[in-house]
Amino acid sequence: MIARLTAEEHQALPDLLPDWDMVKGEDAIERKFKFHDFSEAFAFMTRVALLAEKMDHHPEWSNVYNRVTIKLTTHDAGGLSLRDIKLAEAIEDLA
């Protein structure tokens, strides 16, 4: 089973991932991205999709024109895990 983040790991999130926010009422993190147009947003989503598939960890996300919202949580763990942190860091590298 995948382990949830410890209290110490949770406390480190704002420093580790400053552009990601905790989701109110959930053990999840979220980030909103804005691009020049739909094509840029979709290209970003495609890169994230390929990365997520390779990592076998898939985000919850939405896209409206030039905006992409990504929410990460590990359903198997019942909340945030190191898999979410690693995927968020990899997404940061793409952004």
Side-chain angles (χ1 to χ4, degrees), residues 6-45:
T6 65
E8 294 80 24
E9 290 167 330
H10 262 282
Q11 289 176 347
L13 285 175
D15 292 329
L16 188 61
L17 298 167
D19 295 323
W20 292 76
D21 298 312
M22 292 299 300
V23 177
K24 186 175 182 179
E26 297 181 50
D27 191 21
I29 54 174
E30 180 179 76
R31 177 155 182 217
K32 297 178 181 186
F33 298 86
K34 187 174 180 181
F35 299 91
H36 179 71
D37 56 22
F38 176 76
S39 293
E40 283 186 11
F42 193 81
F44 172 73
M45 290 180 74

Side-chain angles (χ1 to χ4, degrees), residues 32-73:
K32 297 178 181 186
F33 298 86
K34 187 174 180 181
F35 299 91
H36 179 71
D37 56 22
F38 176 76
S39 293
E40 283 186 11
F42 193 81
F44 172 73
M45 290 180 74
T46 300
R47 291 190 305 273
V48 172
L50 293 171
L51 175 69
E53 187 66 18
K54 186 176 180 180
M55 295 177 78
D56 193 29
H57 190 54
H58 306 93
E60 295 179 27
W61 57 6
S62 65
N63 165 243
V64 177
Y65 182 58
N66 67 337
R67 291 172 282 136
V68 176
T69 301
I70 299 177
K71 181 170 80 170
L72 299 176
T73 191

